[in-house]
């Protein structure tokens, strides 16, 4: 078996997901290596694929393409998940060592070296990195000749470190879920699944697939710690609110019936906190799982009131929105106040594709954050924006749906948005679900034509169409010959007409200084256009080259969604990708150029926006100016920078 490096594996995954040719230059830019290195990597990939009887097509002038069947694609993806098919990187090994130390409690350098088939000296070299990871969660690494290596700290910190590290490792693709599951006994894993299923039945809910996996691992680790005599301990004032609840007693009884162990009260509280922090994908309409939280209800009501002022829609009448957001907020508030990290893999996509919905959500939440004295992370704002976007689209479109089973492995917000997008884009299709993968068997006796899933599935006698929860353009083209961009444009046009969140008067010169504006630009590609537009921001210390790479990568991965005003690209990326100061720049080209690889959208004006935080109003202020009267035509035809500095949102006066 040919071994692949991490980069070669990533390139192969990229090729497996490509619907068309991609050239060596694009791959070199994407992975920030030379074209010669990419060709060298492709030689290894080609040898690797021969073992699967798959041809790597390399055509001069066109690029690289995989000639492969869906069955072989699925097989190779599954194979790549196994760690022994590529060289373990330093990052991978650090996470593997960290999790192993937590699992074993007492181990040695020799034992760790033997487990991972590396030298004792190499383990020693990486221990400093392991200690840095542990320190983030308040856990120390104790090294004693008599006891070896042990994690030391508060029991709750140690458990939090385990949960955080395996989530972080999976998110960074350092480890697979399969690898972590394999560290536990199969019978223990089976009992954990039984417990979770019984608790779901008790509450008449379904946890999302991601949350189920997380709960299984947390249960296994809790049981392992209990077997070694390590018990969680909470102050009485913190646990008293749980002790007399029905859920507390029911959880304790379910655990005892399955594991044949009577949990201490503190351990029941620990477990109840974990299930309350898990994302829910299905819940009884009109009911909120667990004890009803007044804060979640009040925030939902206040948020619905605030966005109604901006969009003119009575969202409080949308029970699906109100109940869904209330359930989500109950989980989110629990995680927020218990210092559990909120992760949203769709944050950047929501900010790009639903920028106005995101901004409306952000501004509506400002008053709520001030009232409740907390600050929501971008990831949570994006989740709430997904709920709002789903409700907004239900009010904006209608249609009956015929027959497909929708399987969604993520949480309630993602499921809700996916279901709504399908209703909008495929009005002739009736969708059953969304359901989680764990409940798929229960629906196999239903009559439906095919399956739409957010995760790869192989179901006998059924075609499975794998989609992103936000439905990428190529996925929509597969389901129906409908261009996503036109629908997106329709939504954005309506939002721009109805949403006026900022009424202050602004001139273009207030937003973009003269030395950040370039006219008469001449470039040969959209990538070079972004680089040229970013140049003044880099030279003046607003961003680093990392931000430029991130913007280019966003267009490659998401398509030209930032082109929602004709011939204008408002390009941006995450504030975490090399933003030093808030700012903006403008590049005006002499003639339009194609923007993006897959869709030939023409662009003449390229704006780059950088913000150190998500709270910037610059995006909306800029759009208001661009939407005003003849400002766009003036920008395209101007010969001198002074002519455009006074362009403004005149109606705000």
């Amino acid at each position: 078996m040919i071994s692949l490096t991490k980069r070669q594996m990533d390139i192969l995954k990229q090729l497996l997901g490509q619907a068309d040719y991609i050239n060596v230059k694009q791959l070199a830019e994407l992975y920030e290596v030379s074209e010669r290195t990419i060709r060298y990597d492709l030689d290894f990939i080609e040898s690797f694929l021969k073992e699967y009887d798959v041809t790597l097509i390399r055509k001069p002038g066109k690029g690289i393409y995989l000639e492969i069947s869906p069955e072989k694609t699925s097989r190779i993806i599954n194979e790549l998940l196994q760690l022994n098919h590529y060289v373990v990187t330093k990052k991978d090994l650090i996470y593997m060592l960290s999790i192993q130390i937590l699992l074993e409690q007492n181990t040695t350098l020799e034992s760790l070296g033997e487990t991972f088939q590396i030298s004792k000296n190499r383990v020693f070299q990486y221990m400093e990195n392991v200690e840095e990871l542990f320190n983030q969660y308040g856990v120390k690494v104790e090294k004693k000749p008599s006891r070896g290596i042990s994690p030391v700290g508060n029991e709750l910190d140690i458990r939090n470190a385990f949960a955080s590290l395996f989530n972080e490792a999976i998110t960074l693709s350092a480890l697979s879920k399969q690898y972590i599951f394999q560290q536990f006994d199969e019978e223990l894993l089976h009992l954990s699944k039984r417990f979770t299923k019984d608790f779901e039945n008790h509450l008449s809910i379904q946890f999302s697939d991601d949350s189920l996996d997380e709960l299984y691992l947390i249960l296994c680790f809790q049981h392992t710690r209990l077997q070694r005599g390590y018990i969680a301990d909470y102050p009485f004032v913190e646990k008293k609110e749980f002790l007399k609840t029905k859920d507390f007693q029911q959880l304790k009884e379910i655990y005892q019936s399955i594991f044949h162990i009577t949990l201490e009260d503190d351990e029941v509280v620990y477990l109840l906190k974990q299930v309350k922090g898990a994302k829910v994908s299905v819940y009884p309409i009109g009911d909120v799982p667990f004890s009803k939280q007044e804060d979640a209800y009040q925030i939902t009501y206040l948020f619905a009131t605030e966005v109604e002022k901006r969009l003119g829609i009575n969202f409080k009448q949308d029970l699906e929105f109100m109940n869904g957001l209330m359930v989500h907020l109950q989980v989110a508030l629990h995680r927020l106040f218990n210092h559990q990290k909120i992760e949203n893999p769709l944050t950047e996509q929501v900010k790009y594709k639903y920028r106005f919905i995101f901004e409306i959500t952000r501004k509506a939440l400002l008053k709520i954050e001030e009232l409740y004295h907390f600050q929501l992370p971008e990831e949570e704002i994006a989740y709430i924006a997904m709920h709002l976007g789903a409700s907004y689209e239900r009010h904006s479109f209608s249609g009956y749906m015929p027959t497909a089973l929708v399987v969604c492995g993520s949480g309630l917000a993602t499921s809700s948005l996916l279901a709504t997008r399908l209703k909008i884009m495929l009005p002739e299709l009736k969708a059953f679900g969304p359901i989680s993968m764990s409940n798929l068997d229960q629906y196999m006796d239903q009559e439906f034509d095919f399956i739409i899933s957010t995760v790869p599935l192989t179901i006998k006698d059924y075609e499975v169409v794998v989609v992103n929860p936000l439905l990428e353009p190529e996925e929509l083209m597969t389901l129906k010959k409908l261009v996503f961009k036109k629908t997106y444009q329709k939504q954005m046009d309506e939002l721009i007409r109805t949403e006026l969140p900022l009424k202050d008067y602004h001139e273009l010169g207030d937003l973009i200084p003269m030395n950040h504006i370039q006219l008469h630009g001449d470039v040969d590609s959209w990538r070079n256009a972004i680089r040229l537009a970013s140049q003044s921001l880099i030279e003046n210390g607003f961003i680093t080259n990392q931000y430029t790479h991130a913007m280019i990568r966003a267009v490659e991965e998401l398509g030209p969604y930032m082109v929602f005003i004709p011939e204008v690209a408002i390009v941006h990326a995450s504030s975490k990708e090399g933003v030093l100061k808030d700012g903006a720049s403008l590049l005006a080209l002499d003639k339009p150029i194609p923007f993006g690889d897959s869709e030939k959208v023409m662009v003449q004006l390229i704006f780059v926006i950088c913000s150190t935080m998500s709270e910037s109003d610059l995006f909306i202020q800029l759009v208001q100016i661009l939407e005003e009267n003849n400002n766009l035509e003036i920008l395209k035809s101007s010969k001198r920078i002074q002519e455009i500095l006074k362009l403004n949102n005149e109606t705000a006066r």
Side-chain angles (χ1 to χ4, degrees), residues 95 99 137 160-173 175 177 180 210-211 213-214 217-218 335 341 343:
Y95 279 106
I99 288 173
Y137 305 103
N160 180 48
F162 174 76
S164 299
L165 285 173
F166 78 66
N167 273 318
E168 193 175 310
I170 291 168
T171 301
L172 296 173
S173 300
L175 299 177
K177 287 181 183 177
I180 302 174
D210 286 342
S211 288
D213 289 340
E214 184 177 0
L217 291 171
I218 286 171
R335 295 185 76 90
K341 189 175 182 181
E343 295 181 348

PDB file of all heavy atoms in Angstrom, residues 95 99 137 160-173 175 177 180 210-211 213-214 217-218 335 341 343:
ATOM      1  N   TYR A  95      -2.044  15.126  19.426  1.00  0.00           N
ATOM      2  CA  TYR A  95      -3.405  14.844  19.894  1.00  0.00           C
ATOM      3  C   TYR A  95      -3.551  13.384  20.324  1.00  0.00           C
ATOM      4  O   TYR A  95      -4.220  13.082  21.320  1.00  0.00           O
ATOM      5  CB  TYR A  95      -4.420  15.177  18.803  1.00  0.00           C
ATOM      6  CG  TYR A  95      -4.754  16.646  18.730  1.00  0.00           C
ATOM      7  CD1 TYR A  95      -4.257  17.441  17.706  1.00  0.00           C
ATOM      8  CD2 TYR A  95      -5.552  17.241  19.699  1.00  0.00           C
ATOM      9  CE1 TYR A  95      -4.548  18.800  17.644  1.00  0.00           C
ATOM     10  CE2 TYR A  95      -5.855  18.597  19.647  1.00  0.00           C
ATOM     11  CZ  TYR A  95      -5.349  19.372  18.618  1.00  0.00           C
ATOM     12  OH  TYR A  95      -5.642  20.712  18.575  1.00  0.00           O
ATOM     13  N   ILE A  99      -4.666  12.335  24.184  1.00  0.00           N
ATOM     14  CA  ILE A  99      -5.848  11.525  24.488  1.00  0.00           C
ATOM     15  C   ILE A  99      -5.443  10.213  25.156  1.00  0.00           C
ATOM     16  O   ILE A  99      -6.105   9.748  26.093  1.00  0.00           O
ATOM     17  CB  ILE A  99      -6.661  11.285  23.202  1.00  0.00           C
ATOM     18  CG1 ILE A  99      -7.350  12.600  22.803  1.00  0.00           C
ATOM     19  CG2 ILE A  99      -7.697  10.181  23.387  1.00  0.00           C
ATOM     20  CD1 ILE A  99      -8.047  12.570  21.477  1.00  0.00           C
ATOM     21  N   TYR A 137      -6.800  23.815  29.544  1.00  0.00           N
ATOM     22  CA  TYR A 137      -7.995  23.337  30.248  1.00  0.00           C
ATOM     23  C   TYR A 137      -7.755  23.162  31.747  1.00  0.00           C
ATOM     24  O   TYR A 137      -8.532  22.507  32.440  1.00  0.00           O
ATOM     25  CB  TYR A 137      -8.459  22.014  29.618  1.00  0.00           C
ATOM     26  CG  TYR A 137      -8.689  22.151  28.135  1.00  0.00           C
ATOM     27  CD1 TYR A 137      -7.754  21.671  27.216  1.00  0.00           C
ATOM     28  CD2 TYR A 137      -9.811  22.811  27.646  1.00  0.00           C
ATOM     29  CE1 TYR A 137      -7.951  21.830  25.853  1.00  0.00           C
ATOM     30  CE2 TYR A 137     -10.011  22.973  26.286  1.00  0.00           C
ATOM     31  CZ  TYR A 137      -9.077  22.484  25.397  1.00  0.00           C
ATOM     32  OH  TYR A 137      -9.269  22.651  24.046  1.00  0.00           O
ATOM     33  N   ASN A 160     -13.411  17.740  30.927  1.00  0.00           N
ATOM     34  CA  ASN A 160     -13.592  18.788  29.926  1.00  0.00           C
ATOM     35  C   ASN A 160     -12.438  18.781  28.924  1.00  0.00           C
ATOM     36  O   ASN A 160     -12.641  18.994  27.718  1.00  0.00           O
ATOM     37  CB  ASN A 160     -13.686  20.154  30.604  1.00  0.00           C
ATOM     38  CG  ASN A 160     -13.870  21.282  29.607  1.00  0.00           C
ATOM     39  OD1 ASN A 160     -14.714  21.211  28.718  1.00  0.00           O
ATOM     40  ND2 ASN A 160     -13.070  22.323  29.739  1.00  0.00           N
ATOM     41  N   ALA A 161     -11.225  18.516  29.417  1.00  0.00           N
ATOM     42  CA  ALA A 161     -10.060  18.446  28.528  1.00  0.00           C
ATOM     43  C   ALA A 161     -10.234  17.325  27.515  1.00  0.00           C
ATOM     44  O   ALA A 161      -9.950  17.498  26.319  1.00  0.00           O
ATOM     45  CB  ALA A 161      -8.788  18.230  29.351  1.00  0.00           C
ATOM     46  N   PHE A 162     -10.713  16.170  27.971  1.00  0.00           N
ATOM     47  CA  PHE A 162     -10.923  15.043  27.052  1.00  0.00           C
ATOM     48  C   PHE A 162     -11.943  15.407  25.975  1.00  0.00           C
ATOM     49  O   PHE A 162     -11.692  15.227  24.775  1.00  0.00           O
ATOM     50  CB  PHE A 162     -11.394  13.815  27.831  1.00  0.00           C
ATOM     51  CG  PHE A 162     -11.761  12.653  26.947  1.00  0.00           C
ATOM     52  CD1 PHE A 162     -10.783  11.878  26.348  1.00  0.00           C
ATOM     53  CD2 PHE A 162     -13.090  12.348  26.692  1.00  0.00           C
ATOM     54  CE1 PHE A 162     -11.118  10.819  25.515  1.00  0.00           C
ATOM     55  CE2 PHE A 162     -13.442  11.296  25.865  1.00  0.00           C
ATOM     56  CZ  PHE A 162     -12.451  10.528  25.273  1.00  0.00           C
ATOM     57  N   ALA A 163     -13.103  15.940  26.392  1.00  0.00           N
ATOM     58  CA  ALA A 163     -14.156  16.286  25.426  1.00  0.00           C
ATOM     59  C   ALA A 163     -13.682  17.359  24.452  1.00  0.00           C
ATOM     60  O   ALA A 163     -13.931  17.279  23.242  1.00  0.00           O
ATOM     61  CB  ALA A 163     -15.408  16.751  26.169  1.00  0.00           C
ATOM     62  N   SER A 164     -12.987  18.361  24.970  1.00  0.00           N
ATOM     63  CA  SER A 164     -12.520  19.459  24.117  1.00  0.00           C
ATOM     64  C   SER A 164     -11.446  18.993  23.148  1.00  0.00           C
ATOM     65  O   SER A 164     -11.440  19.380  21.973  1.00  0.00           O
ATOM     66  CB  SER A 164     -11.983  20.603  24.984  1.00  0.00           C
ATOM     67  OG  SER A 164     -12.991  21.114  25.831  1.00  0.00           O
ATOM     68  N   LEU A 165     -10.530  18.143  23.629  1.00  0.00           N
ATOM     69  CA  LEU A 165      -9.423  17.697  22.781  1.00  0.00           C
ATOM     70  C   LEU A 165      -9.896  16.793  21.650  1.00  0.00           C
ATOM     71  O   LEU A 165      -9.423  16.914  20.516  1.00  0.00           O
ATOM     72  CB  LEU A 165      -8.362  16.985  23.625  1.00  0.00           C
ATOM     73  CG  LEU A 165      -7.483  17.903  24.482  1.00  0.00           C
ATOM     74  CD1 LEU A 165      -6.588  17.088  25.401  1.00  0.00           C
ATOM     75  CD2 LEU A 165      -6.631  18.809  23.599  1.00  0.00           C
ATOM     76  N   PHE A 166     -10.836  15.883  21.941  1.00  0.00           N
ATOM     77  CA  PHE A 166     -11.258  15.023  20.831  1.00  0.00           C
ATOM     78  C   PHE A 166     -12.094  15.816  19.824  1.00  0.00           C
ATOM     79  O   PHE A 166     -12.013  15.581  18.618  1.00  0.00           O
ATOM     80  CB  PHE A 166     -11.946  13.736  21.308  1.00  0.00           C
ATOM     81  CG  PHE A 166     -13.376  13.831  21.757  1.00  0.00           C
ATOM     82  CD1 PHE A 166     -14.401  14.149  20.876  1.00  0.00           C
ATOM     83  CD2 PHE A 166     -13.713  13.538  23.072  1.00  0.00           C
ATOM     84  CE1 PHE A 166     -15.719  14.202  21.297  1.00  0.00           C
ATOM     85  CE2 PHE A 166     -15.032  13.591  23.498  1.00  0.00           C
ATOM     86  CZ  PHE A 166     -16.038  13.928  22.604  1.00  0.00           C
ATOM     87  N   ASN A 167     -12.878  16.789  20.288  1.00  0.00           N
ATOM     88  CA  ASN A 167     -13.624  17.633  19.347  1.00  0.00           C
ATOM     89  C   ASN A 167     -12.678  18.476  18.501  1.00  0.00           C
ATOM     90  O   ASN A 167     -12.858  18.630  17.293  1.00  0.00           O
ATOM     91  CB  ASN A 167     -14.587  18.551  20.104  1.00  0.00           C
ATOM     92  CG  ASN A 167     -15.925  17.884  20.378  1.00  0.00           C
ATOM     93  OD1 ASN A 167     -16.465  17.212  19.513  1.00  0.00           O
ATOM     94  ND2 ASN A 167     -16.455  18.053  21.572  1.00  0.00           N
ATOM     95  N   GLU A 168     -11.663  19.024  19.158  1.00  0.00           N
ATOM     96  CA  GLU A 168     -10.679  19.852  18.457  1.00  0.00           C
ATOM     97  C   GLU A 168      -9.905  19.023  17.439  1.00  0.00           C
ATOM     98  O   GLU A 168      -9.680  19.455  16.305  1.00  0.00           O
ATOM     99  CB  GLU A 168      -9.724  20.450  19.496  1.00  0.00           C
ATOM    100  CG  GLU A 168      -8.841  21.561  18.985  1.00  0.00           C
ATOM    101  CD  GLU A 168      -8.017  22.173  20.112  1.00  0.00           C
ATOM    102  OE1 GLU A 168      -8.613  22.528  21.156  1.00  0.00           O
ATOM    103  OE2 GLU A 168      -6.795  22.274  19.951  1.00  0.00           O
ATOM    104  N   ALA A 169      -9.509  17.810  17.826  1.00  0.00           N
ATOM    105  CA  ALA A 169      -8.742  16.938  16.933  1.00  0.00           C
ATOM    106  C   ALA A 169      -9.556  16.549  15.705  1.00  0.00           C
ATOM    107  O   ALA A 169      -9.040  16.508  14.586  1.00  0.00           O
ATOM    108  CB  ALA A 169      -8.292  15.688  17.691  1.00  0.00           C
ATOM    109  N   ILE A 170     -10.850  16.284  15.906  1.00  0.00           N
ATOM    110  CA  ILE A 170     -11.719  15.911  14.783  1.00  0.00           C
ATOM    111  C   ILE A 170     -11.939  17.114  13.870  1.00  0.00           C
ATOM    112  O   ILE A 170     -11.879  17.004  12.644  1.00  0.00           O
ATOM    113  CB  ILE A 170     -13.061  15.360  15.307  1.00  0.00           C
ATOM    114  CG1 ILE A 170     -12.835  14.003  15.987  1.00  0.00           C
ATOM    115  CG2 ILE A 170     -14.076  15.222  14.172  1.00  0.00           C
ATOM    116  CD1 ILE A 170     -14.023  13.501  16.780  1.00  0.00           C
ATOM    117  N   THR A 171     -12.174  18.290  14.466  1.00  0.00           N
ATOM    118  CA  THR A 171     -12.389  19.507  13.677  1.00  0.00           C
ATOM    119  C   THR A 171     -11.175  19.833  12.818  1.00  0.00           C
ATOM    120  O   THR A 171     -11.303  20.247  11.662  1.00  0.00           O
ATOM    121  CB  THR A 171     -12.698  20.699  14.610  1.00  0.00           C
ATOM    122  OG1 THR A 171     -13.865  20.405  15.386  1.00  0.00           O
ATOM    123  CG2 THR A 171     -12.945  21.969  13.804  1.00  0.00           C
ATOM    124  N   LEU A 172      -9.975  19.641  13.374  1.00  0.00           N
ATOM    125  CA  LEU A 172      -8.738  19.945  12.653  1.00  0.00           C
ATOM    126  C   LEU A 172      -8.282  18.795  11.758  1.00  0.00           C
ATOM    127  O   LEU A 172      -7.223  18.872  11.137  1.00  0.00           O
ATOM    128  CB  LEU A 172      -7.621  20.270  13.660  1.00  0.00           C
ATOM    129  CG  LEU A 172      -7.829  21.530  14.517  1.00  0.00           C
ATOM    130  CD1 LEU A 172      -6.740  21.635  15.571  1.00  0.00           C
ATOM    131  CD2 LEU A 172      -7.838  22.776  13.641  1.00  0.00           C
ATOM    132  N   SER A 173      -9.097  17.727  11.703  1.00  0.00           N
ATOM    133  CA  SER A 173      -8.766  16.532  10.909  1.00  0.00           C
ATOM    134  C   SER A 173      -7.474  15.878  11.374  1.00  0.00           C
ATOM    135  O   SER A 173      -6.792  15.203  10.598  1.00  0.00           O
ATOM    136  CB  SER A 173      -8.664  16.883   9.411  1.00  0.00           C
ATOM    137  OG  SER A 173      -9.880  17.397   8.941  1.00  0.00           O
ATOM    138  N   LEU A 175      -7.476  13.698  13.934  1.00  0.00           N
ATOM    139  CA  LEU A 175      -7.898  12.335  14.243  1.00  0.00           C
ATOM    140  C   LEU A 175      -9.297  12.109  13.686  1.00  0.00           C
ATOM    141  O   LEU A 175     -10.060  13.055  13.494  1.00  0.00           O
ATOM    142  CB  LEU A 175      -7.923  12.097  15.760  1.00  0.00           C
ATOM    143  CG  LEU A 175      -6.605  12.235  16.529  1.00  0.00           C
ATOM    144  CD1 LEU A 175      -6.854  12.041  18.016  1.00  0.00           C
ATOM    145  CD2 LEU A 175      -5.575  11.243  16.033  1.00  0.00           C
ATOM    146  N   LYS A 177     -13.134  10.156  14.113  1.00  0.00           N
ATOM    147  CA  LYS A 177     -14.002   9.661  15.185  1.00  0.00           C
ATOM    148  C   LYS A 177     -13.775   8.170  15.400  1.00  0.00           C
ATOM    149  O   LYS A 177     -13.795   7.688  16.533  1.00  0.00           O
ATOM    150  CB  LYS A 177     -15.469   9.912  14.834  1.00  0.00           C
ATOM    151  CG  LYS A 177     -15.902  11.349  14.940  1.00  0.00           C
ATOM    152  CD  LYS A 177     -17.374  11.486  14.601  1.00  0.00           C
ATOM    153  CE  LYS A 177     -17.799  12.946  14.635  1.00  0.00           C
ATOM    154  NZ  LYS A 177     -19.205  13.120  14.236  1.00  0.00           N
ATOM    155  N   ILE A 180     -10.959   7.424  17.802  1.00  0.00           N
ATOM    156  CA  ILE A 180     -11.254   7.652  19.221  1.00  0.00           C
ATOM    157  C   ILE A 180     -12.217   6.591  19.745  1.00  0.00           C
ATOM    158  O   ILE A 180     -12.066   6.095  20.866  1.00  0.00           O
ATOM    159  CB  ILE A 180     -11.813   9.071  19.434  1.00  0.00           C
ATOM    160  CG1 ILE A 180     -10.804  10.099  18.909  1.00  0.00           C
ATOM    161  CG2 ILE A 180     -12.083   9.331  20.914  1.00  0.00           C
ATOM    162  CD1 ILE A 180     -11.289  11.522  18.933  1.00  0.00           C
ATOM    163  N   ASP A 210     -23.880  14.400  15.365  1.00  0.00           N
ATOM    164  CA  ASP A 210     -22.620  14.852  15.956  1.00  0.00           C
ATOM    165  C   ASP A 210     -22.686  14.818  17.481  1.00  0.00           C
ATOM    166  O   ASP A 210     -21.736  14.412  18.153  1.00  0.00           O
ATOM    167  CB  ASP A 210     -22.293  16.276  15.487  1.00  0.00           C
ATOM    168  CG  ASP A 210     -21.817  16.303  14.049  1.00  0.00           C
ATOM    169  OD1 ASP A 210     -21.420  15.236  13.542  1.00  0.00           O
ATOM    170  OD2 ASP A 210     -21.845  17.378  13.432  1.00  0.00           O
ATOM    171  N   SER A 211     -23.822  15.259  18.026  1.00  0.00           N
ATOM    172  CA  SER A 211     -23.977  15.268  19.479  1.00  0.00           C
ATOM    173  C   SER A 211     -24.043  13.851  20.039  1.00  0.00           C
ATOM    174  O   SER A 211     -23.548  13.586  21.137  1.00  0.00           O
ATOM    175  CB  SER A 211     -25.240  16.038  19.874  1.00  0.00           C
ATOM    176  OG  SER A 211     -25.064  17.419  19.664  1.00  0.00           O
ATOM    177  N   ASP A 213     -22.464  11.202  18.869  1.00  0.00           N
ATOM    178  CA  ASP A 213     -21.083  10.709  18.939  1.00  0.00           C
ATOM    179  C   ASP A 213     -20.352  11.305  20.136  1.00  0.00           C
ATOM    180  O   ASP A 213     -19.611  10.617  20.843  1.00  0.00           O
ATOM    181  CB  ASP A 213     -20.335  11.061  17.649  1.00  0.00           C
ATOM    182  CG  ASP A 213     -20.816  10.239  16.463  1.00  0.00           C
ATOM    183  OD1 ASP A 213     -21.421   9.175  16.687  1.00  0.00           O
ATOM    184  OD2 ASP A 213     -20.598  10.668  15.314  1.00  0.00           O
ATOM    185  N   GLU A 214     -20.569  12.604  20.360  1.00  0.00           N
ATOM    186  CA  GLU A 214     -19.922  13.267  21.491  1.00  0.00           C
ATOM    187  C   GLU A 214     -20.409  12.680  22.816  1.00  0.00           C
ATOM    188  O   GLU A 214     -19.609  12.417  23.723  1.00  0.00           O
ATOM    189  CB  GLU A 214     -20.204  14.768  21.436  1.00  0.00           C
ATOM    190  CG  GLU A 214     -19.499  15.568  22.521  1.00  0.00           C
ATOM    191  CD  GLU A 214     -19.741  17.067  22.392  1.00  0.00           C
ATOM    192  OE1 GLU A 214     -20.451  17.476  21.456  1.00  0.00           O
ATOM    193  OE2 GLU A 214     -19.227  17.815  23.229  1.00  0.00           O
ATOM    194  N   LEU A 217     -18.865   9.212  23.571  1.00  0.00           N
ATOM    195  CA  LEU A 217     -17.482   9.287  24.047  1.00  0.00           C
ATOM    196  C   LEU A 217     -17.413   9.838  25.473  1.00  0.00           C
ATOM    197  O   LEU A 217     -16.612   9.370  26.289  1.00  0.00           O
ATOM    198  CB  LEU A 217     -16.654  10.157  23.099  1.00  0.00           C
ATOM    199  CG  LEU A 217     -16.415   9.552  21.708  1.00  0.00           C
ATOM    200  CD1 LEU A 217     -15.774  10.571  20.776  1.00  0.00           C
ATOM    201  CD2 LEU A 217     -15.537   8.308  21.804  1.00  0.00           C
ATOM    202  N   ILE A 218     -18.252  10.825  25.777  1.00  0.00           N
ATOM    203  CA  ILE A 218     -18.284  11.383  27.140  1.00  0.00           C
ATOM    204  C   ILE A 218     -18.726  10.320  28.138  1.00  0.00           C
ATOM    205  O   ILE A 218     -18.159  10.187  29.233  1.00  0.00           O
ATOM    206  CB  ILE A 218     -19.213  12.613  27.185  1.00  0.00           C
ATOM    207  CG1 ILE A 218     -18.528  13.805  26.500  1.00  0.00           C
ATOM    208  CG2 ILE A 218     -19.594  12.968  28.619  1.00  0.00           C
ATOM    209  CD1 ILE A 218     -19.428  15.012  26.303  1.00  0.00           C
ATOM    210  N   ARG A 335     -24.361  25.909  27.340  1.00  0.00           N
ATOM    211  CA  ARG A 335     -22.942  25.784  26.976  1.00  0.00           C
ATOM    212  C   ARG A 335     -22.197  27.081  27.284  1.00  0.00           C
ATOM    213  O   ARG A 335     -21.061  27.064  27.763  1.00  0.00           O
ATOM    214  CB  ARG A 335     -22.803  25.426  25.496  1.00  0.00           C
ATOM    215  CG  ARG A 335     -23.356  24.058  25.137  1.00  0.00           C
ATOM    216  CD  ARG A 335     -23.078  23.705  23.680  1.00  0.00           C
ATOM    217  NE  ARG A 335     -21.693  23.326  23.483  1.00  0.00           N
ATOM    218  CZ  ARG A 335     -21.228  22.091  23.589  1.00  0.00           C
ATOM    219  NH1 ARG A 335     -22.051  21.099  23.894  1.00  0.00           N
ATOM    220  NH2 ARG A 335     -19.956  21.828  23.389  1.00  0.00           N
ATOM    221  N   LYS A 341     -17.374  25.246  24.744  1.00  0.00           N
ATOM    222  CA  LYS A 341     -17.150  25.896  23.457  1.00  0.00           C
ATOM    223  C   LYS A 341     -18.322  25.646  22.512  1.00  0.00           C
ATOM    224  O   LYS A 341     -18.838  24.537  22.426  1.00  0.00           O
ATOM    225  CB  LYS A 341     -15.858  25.369  22.830  1.00  0.00           C
ATOM    226  CG  LYS A 341     -15.412  26.135  21.596  1.00  0.00           C
ATOM    227  CD  LYS A 341     -14.066  25.633  21.115  1.00  0.00           C
ATOM    228  CE  LYS A 341     -13.593  26.426  19.907  1.00  0.00           C
ATOM    229  NZ  LYS A 341     -12.282  25.927  19.414  1.00  0.00           N
ATOM    230  N   GLU A 343     -19.323  25.456  18.710  1.00  0.00           N
ATOM    231  CA  GLU A 343     -18.700  25.308  17.399  1.00  0.00           C
ATOM    232  C   GLU A 343     -19.775  25.264  16.322  1.00  0.00           C
ATOM    233  O   GLU A 343     -20.813  24.636  16.497  1.00  0.00           O
ATOM    234  CB  GLU A 343     -17.850  24.032  17.349  1.00  0.00           C
ATOM    235  CG  GLU A 343     -16.652  24.077  18.297  1.00  0.00           C
ATOM    236  CD  GLU A 343     -15.812  22.818  18.216  1.00  0.00           C
ATOM    237  OE1 GLU A 343     -16.285  21.843  17.613  1.00  0.00           O
ATOM    238  OE2 GLU A 343     -14.696  22.820  18.757  1.00  0.00           O
TER     239      GLU A 343
END
